[in-house]
Amino acid sequence: MLIFIDFDLDHPRQGFDIAKEPVLHDVRLVMGFLNSLKLLLRIAHKGLAWFAIPCQSFTCMSFFQHQLTIFNPYGCCVFPFVIAGNEICTRSCLLILVSIARSVTWFIENPLRSAIHTWPFVNHLMAMPWLNSVRSSW
């Protein structure tokens, strides 16, 4: 699931959720990815892109199934939810790169003890000092 939020007062908030529309809002499909890119390009300069990547693919509760570690960043690709989480996270990272190019602030929502930081692309984005990336927990 991805959610895009725009703080521009002239345009209402835009949402992107697979529960609303299973084809156009599925970022794993070509049409869904293009639709998410279209919504991302509508976000105003200095707006916010909020990415809600599926928690079950990275949370500590399902560690014994997904088996994501720093040494095994793609996890156990036997389970469909791991494959889906990997695809969604990869495509979200592509959308984050577009956000960075457009000066849009981005936010990835995941639980406190999530293994999303082991995902190579997220890890790479968080390690770039010029992006001033911050990981916050509550």
Side-chain angles (χ1 to χ4, degrees):
M1 173 182 12
L2 299 172
I3 301 171
F4 298 110
I5 299 177
D6 187 355
F7 286 121
D8 185 7
L9 297 177
D10 296 333
H11 300 93
R13 294 180 182 174
Q14 299 295 314
F16 189 85
D17 189 354
I18 194 170
K20 283 203 259 179
E21 174 63 49
V23 175
L24 285 178
H25 290 194
D26 188 352
V27 76
R28 296 175 298 160
L29 302 175
V30 174
M31 287 303 297
F33 182 72
L34 291 175
N35 192 28
S36 65
L37 185 60
K38 178 187 79 170
L39 288 175
L40 183 66
L41 291 174
R42 291 184 61 193
I43 296 177
H45 182 71
K46 304 275 184 181
L48 173 65
W50 186 296
F51 299 90
I53 298 171
C55 300
Q56 76 270 18
S57 301
F58 300 97
T59 188
C60 63
M61 298 291 283
S62 60
F63 172 76
F64 291 106
Q65 288 184 320
H66 67 62
Q67 299 175 8
L68 283 164
T69 63
I70 292 174
F71 304 110
N72 185 21
Y74 302 106
C76 181
C77 292
V78 173
F79 299 104
F81 78 95
V82 175
I83 296 168
N86 290 348
E87 288 175 337
I88 292 170
C89 194
T90 300
R91 293 189 178 207
S92 296
C93 287
L94 291 171
L95 294 170
I96 288 169
L97 291 175
V98 173
S99 300
I100 292 168
R102 297 193 61 242
S103 298
V104 170
T105 304
W106 54 277
F107 181 87
I108 296 176
E109 177 187 349
N110 238 244
L112 174 63
R113 294 179 57 200
S114 171
I116 200 161
H117 66 281
T118 64
W119 187 250
F121 307 128
V122 173
N123 194 2
H124 184 69
L125 288 170
M126 294 298 290
M128 292 183 188
W130 59 274
L131 284 178
N132 297 324
S133 300
V134 177
R135 181 174 181 173
S136 66
S137 304
W138 62 88

